[in-house]
Amino acid sequence: MKNTTTARERLIQATFELLERQGYHGTGLNQIIKESGAPKGSLYYYFPNGKEELVSRAIGEQGKALADRIRRALEGVQDPAEAVYSMMLHLAEKLEQSKCTKAGSFAAVALETSNTSEMLRETINKTYDAFISAIQGMLLAHGFSEARAVQIATLITASMEGAVVLCRTKKSTEPLRHIAQEMKHLLRSAIAENDAGS
Amino acid sequence: MKNTTTARERLIQATFELLERQGYHGTGLNQIIKESGAPKGSLYYYFPNGKEELVSRAIGEQGKALADRIRRALEGVQDPAEAVYSMMLHLAEKLEQSKCTKAGSFAAVALETSNTSEMLRETINKTYDAFISAIQGMLLAHGFSEARAVQIATLITASMEGAVVLCRTKKSTEPLRHIAQEMKHLLRSAIAENDAGS
DNA sequence: GTCTATAATAAGATAGAC
DNA sequence: GTCTATCTTATTATAGAC
């Protein structure tokens, strides 16, 4: 079968990167074609439902891959506070590589389309759930209650997404580094408190 | 002078509400005209530079008004943890009123345009700075250091923006209520710790 | 599977009458 | 200050050749 999927893969990759820089409605199919180098005829061959389907696949596949990386990175860590700190700094470094021009595709597409496309909304919803679930798993392994673990995992996910918005706006990774520092501090207290109460 | 500004005001108002539901590129000028009921000829009369200027004014004015409301709400509070909790629940209630369809205009426009419009990026940047500064003021009044106050204020701002994205995606205010609860808890510890170290 | 041409629609913006 | 008509350009999507 060789690499008959390379046109499809190039389309997915180019779509995701453009979403990170311009969001959903800011990204045209012609631009995706041009950027990917994929033949235009391939787009509707691989994604018969057009833009909505292409973006849903791009978001879904990249989101799943990212959630898996998060899960693996947090598996078996001995200090959740340090692990969260590292995860946030890692995101900051990734952002820095693009000079704060590429990040936040999930948030952008969510805000632009959650009222008009159930398909996209559900894809992103599953992605965010996977992020939260990965973080929650680590917290459960360290003695937090189910309820508390969800709360903290939601806070970590939300603060990262929000900090990415601030970084894009400020053209600086400072906000991300600030929340990384602060969350490490707060989580240390929460862990100590939780361990004492066991 | 009567109300010669009402066409302008209606345009600003309609623009902001549409940005909250669909973002920047998802909102067309024709739709703004229609929704506002303002005469089409007025748009380029009040905003000669077109869409970019209209959106910048809408974001700027609404952002400034919101930052002022936050500042006043946090002025003279006796418990920062409770104040932040109330602020977050207040946002959740506002979101609930629109069934989670309207919120996140700042984040949406930032993610869509920060690479293509310096004007919009700077307007939003000032807005976020005003939010952070308002929260930071309260924390300074309660004995936190300058550096720590910025970190915590950034975390609060980022987590609220991120939680709004999660709420829009989930069509539920649950994420916002989760982070409200968790931030209250964590802030209580931070305050106790900070007071003890004085 | 891919390419080219094009249809159909909507976008932002402008000109000129009133 | 406002209205209507229109220009230019971009968008998503499709048809039909190869």
Side-chain angles (χ1 to χ4, degrees):
Chain A
M1 50 158 70
K2 276 208 328 170
N3 46 4
T4 92
T5 56
T6 111
R8 200 196 107 105
E9 279 314 306
R10 281 206 307 268
L11 282 167
I12 290 276
Q13 188 64 33
T15 298
F16 188 75
E17 287 184 11
L18 288 170
L19 292 174
E20 297 227 285
R21 291 201 253 121
Q22 312 165 329
Y24 184 81
H25 290 109
T27 300
L29 292 183
N30 291 334
Q31 194 181 9
I32 293 174
I33 293 298
K34 186 179 167 190
E35 197 86 355
S36 69
K40 177 154 188 175
S42 303
L43 202 159
Y44 284 91
Y45 176 79
Y46 288 113
F47 308 97
N49 291 101
K51 187 179 187 179
E52 193 181 10
E53 183 179 359
L54 168 59
V55 170
S56 179
R57 302 288 181 201
I59 290 281
E61 292 177 20
Q62 294 279 348
K64 182 162 172 36
L66 179 51
D68 287 347
R69 284 202 298 277
I70 293 175
R71 173 163 277 114
R72 283 196 303 273
L74 298 181
E75 239 165 28
V77 299
Q78 90 283 35
D79 181 356
E82 199 64 42
V84 167
Y85 181 70
S86 293
M87 178 172 65
M88 289 181 170
L89 282 198
H90 185 266
L91 175 55
E93 283 164 25
K94 186 188 151 290
L95 236 174
E96 187 70 52
Q97 287 169 14
S98 69
K99 304 211 176 193
C100 298
T101 62
K102 279 171 54 179
S105 56
F106 306 116
V109 178
L111 291 172
E112 288 180 87
T113 69
S114 74
N115 294 326
T116 50
S117 167
E118 270 304 292
M119 184 184 182
L120 287 171
R121 189 185 69 78
E122 279 173 13
T123 299
I124 300 169
N125 196 32
K126 278 180 198 157
T127 302
Y128 279 136
D129 272 349
F131 292 169
I132 292 173
S133 169
I135 300 169
Q136 186 189 1
M138 174 191 64
L139 296 168
L140 288 173
H142 283 266
F144 283 99
S145 71
E146 191 84 34
R148 191 76 197 285
V150 181
Q151 278 187 13
I152 300 178
T154 302
L155 176 63
I156 292 169
T157 304
S159 62
M160 286 179 79
E161 283 293 277
V164 161
V165 176
L166 296 183
C167 291
R168 288 283 307 277
T169 305
K170 199 170 188 170
K171 281 192 182 292
S172 157
T173 57
E174 189 189 74
L176 211 31
R177 286 180 278 113
H178 277 163
I179 72 149
Q181 194 71 40
E182 189 56 39
M183 280 300 304
K184 178 164 71 172
H185 193 133
L186 294 176
L187 277 178
R188 277 210 209 289
S189 303
I191 293 164
E193 185 187 6
N194 192 62
D195 286 352
S198 294
Chain B
M1 52 160 67
K2 277 211 324 171
N3 46 4
T4 91
T5 56
T6 109
R8 201 196 106 104
E9 279 314 306
R10 281 206 306 269
L11 283 167
I12 291 277
Q13 188 63 34
T15 299
F16 189 74
E17 288 183 12
L18 288 170
L19 291 174
E20 296 228 285
R21 291 200 254 123
Q22 311 164 332
Y24 183 81
H25 290 109
T27 300
L29 292 183
N30 291 334
Q31 192 181 10
I32 292 174
I33 294 298
K34 186 179 168 189
E35 197 86 356
S36 70
K40 178 153 188 178
S42 303
L43 202 158
Y44 283 91
Y45 176 78
Y46 289 113
F47 309 97
N49 290 102
K51 187 179 187 179
E52 194 181 12
E53 184 180 359
L54 168 59
V55 170
S56 179
R57 302 288 183 201
I59 291 281
E61 293 178 18
Q62 294 278 346
K64 181 163 174 34
L66 179 52
D68 288 346
R69 284 202 299 277
I70 292 174
R71 173 163 276 115
R72 284 197 301 273
L74 298 181
E75 238 164 29
V77 298
Q78 91 281 36
D79 182 356
E82 199 64 42
V84 168
Y85 181 70
S86 293
M87 178 172 67
M88 289 181 169
L89 282 198
H90 185 266
L91 175 56
E93 283 164 24
K94 185 188 152 290
L95 236 175
E96 187 68 54
Q97 286 169 15
S98 69
K99 304 209 176 192
C100 298
T101 62
K102 278 171 54 180
S105 55
F106 306 115
V109 178
L111 292 172
E112 287 180 88
T113 70
S114 74
N115 294 327
T116 50
S117 166
E118 270 304 291
M119 183 184 183
L120 287 171
R121 189 186 69 76
E122 279 172 13
T123 299
I124 302 169
N125 196 32
K126 280 179 197 158
T127 302
Y128 279 137
D129 272 348
F131 292 170
I132 291 172
S133 169
I135 299 168
Q136 185 190 0
M138 173 190 66
L139 296 167
L140 288 173
H142 283 267
F144 283 99
S145 71
E146 191 84 34
R148 192 77 196 285
V150 181
Q151 275 186 17
I152 299 178
T154 301
L155 176 62
I156 291 169
T157 304
S159 63
M160 284 178 80
E161 283 293 278
V164 161
V165 176
L166 296 183
C167 291
R168 289 282 307 277
T169 304
K170 199 170 188 171
K171 281 191 182 292
S172 159
T173 58
E174 189 189 73
L176 211 30
R177 287 181 277 112
H178 276 162
I179 71 149
Q181 193 73 41
E182 190 56 39
M183 279 303 302
K184 178 165 74 171
H185 192 132
L186 295 176
L187 278 179
R188 276 208 209 290
S189 303
I191 293 164
E193 184 188 5
N194 192 61
D195 287 350
S198 294

